[in-house]
Amino acid sequence: MPLKRITMADVANVAKVHQTTVSLALRNDPRLPRATRLRLRALAESLGYRPDPMLSALNSYRTSRDAARSPPSMGFIRRSRANLPAENSSPWSSFWRAPVAPPSEWVIA
């Protein structure tokens, strides 16, 4: 019978912390206190935790593939309030009745 592989979830259950905390500790993330990182790393080593090479390869592949893409951009186009009638208190009340302004009067925010 093959031995059960110790996972991050197993380490987290023994330490009574969340699996994300174990992941951050094993990656030596500075967001965790140094004492917590050392304690969880020592616990993982004593339990015999070893990273899964297939999951590590998959994660490496995903991050290297995403790095080639440019980050997403978002922009909004809205009408300038200067084009609204003075008596209009809400920019949406006459939205459908208002004529479309020429492109030079549109504002990109």
Side-chain angles (χ1 to χ4, degrees):
M1 175 186 270
L3 295 175
K4 180 183 181 288
R5 176 181 281 276
I6 301 296
T7 64
M8 267 195 265
D10 297 331
V11 176
N13 286 337
V14 171
K16 295 189 179 5
V17 295
H18 195 272
Q19 184 176 342
T20 304
T21 307
V22 174
S23 175
L24 292 172
L26 294 177
R27 287 184 281 137
N28 205 21
D29 194 294
R31 290 180 286 181
L32 286 179
R34 187 173 187 272
T36 304
R37 285 182 278 164
L38 293 175
R39 179 176 64 90
L40 291 175
R41 292 179 87 151
L43 177 62
E45 188 175 332
S46 70
L47 292 174
Y49 170 79
R50 297 288 175 261
D52 186 339
M54 293 302 285
L55 290 177
S56 297
L58 176 63
N59 193 30
S60 176
Y61 168 74
R62 285 182 172 171
T63 56
S64 69
R65 196 182 73 187
D66 288 344
R69 292 190 219 159
S70 62
S73 314
M74 181 181 282
F76 296 95
I77 299 175
R78 64 175 181 85
R79 285 189 58 190
S80 170
R81 291 181 184 258
N83 296 335
L84 295 174
E87 67 276 355
N88 188 359
S89 61
S90 168
W92 301 107
S93 62
S94 63
F95 180 77
W96 297 109
R97 290 181 279 128
V100 176
S104 63
E105 295 180 11
W106 289 79
V107 175
I108 298 178

